C-alpha cells in the first residue's frame, strides 16, 4: 500500500497518521488533564481490553503516541510507574 510523500518524511503510514490526529484532537479538548495509554485507548474502544485489540492497531496507536512526543505535540511523564500523556507545547502540523 503506497503512502504519501509527507507520510514518508514523517515515517508513518495512514493508520499511524489517523491515530496521531485522533489522539491530538482528544488532548486538545482535554488540555488540563493527562491520561494513561489505556485511558486514551478507551476513548475509542469502550470495551478496551489490550487482548482484544489487533496487534497492528495497538502498534499503530503506540507509534502514534511516540510521534506526538517527537513532534512535541504531546508530553509524557512517568508517575508511580505509569506513563501519562498530556497536550504538548507545539501545535500539530501534518
Amino acid at each position: 500500500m503506497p503512502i504519501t510523500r509527507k507520510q514518508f518524511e514523517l515515517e508513518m503510514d495512514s493508520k499511524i497518521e489517523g491515530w496521531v490526529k485522533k489522539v491530538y484532537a482528544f488532548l486538545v479538548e482535554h488540555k488540563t488533564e493527562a491520561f494513561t495509554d489505556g485511558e486514551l485507548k478507551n476513548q475509542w474502544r469502550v470495551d478496551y481490553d489490550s487482548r482484544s485489540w489487533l496487534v497492528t492497531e495497538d502498534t499503530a496507536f503506540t507509534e502514534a503516541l511516540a510521534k506526538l512526543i517527537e513532534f512535541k505535540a504531546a508530553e509524557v511523564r512517568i508517575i508511580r510507574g505509569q506513563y501519562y500523556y498530556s497536550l504538548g507545547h507545539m501545535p500539530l502540523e501534518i
Side-chain angles (χ1 to χ4, degrees):
M1 169 188 262
I3 61 174
T4 66
R5 178 66 187 189
K6 185 74 169 178
Q7 289 170 334
F8 176 78
E9 290 170 359
L10 297 174
E11 299 175 2
M12 65 173 68
D13 62 12
S14 297
K15 188 170 287 237
I16 296 168
E17 182 180 13
W19 278 118
V20 164
K21 290 177 178 178
K22 285 180 191 177
V23 173
Y24 181 73
F26 179 81
L27 292 175
V28 167
E29 290 177 22
H30 299 89
K31 59 185 169 192
T32 63
E33 299 173 279
F35 302 88
T36 66
D37 63 339
E39 290 168 331
L40 290 170
K41 288 177 183 178
N42 196 38
Q43 299 307 309
W44 295 277
R45 293 230 36 154
V46 176
D47 61 343
Y48 169 68
D49 176 352
S50 62
R51 297 167 301 203
S52 69
W53 270 47
L54 297 173
V55 172
T56 56
E57 199 69 37
D58 195 58
T59 301
F61 184 87
T62 301
E63 289 182 31
L65 288 177
K67 286 295 178 188
L68 285 166
I69 301 302
E70 178 184 330
F71 301 152
K72 296 183 182 3
E75 294 181 17
V76 64
R77 300 284 187 275
I78 302 172
I79 301 168
R80 295 182 140 219
Q82 180 70 50
Y83 287 86
Y84 280 84
Y85 299 86
S86 185
L87 186 64
H89 299 291
M90 299 294 292
L92 181 65
E93 296 180 14
I94 47 175

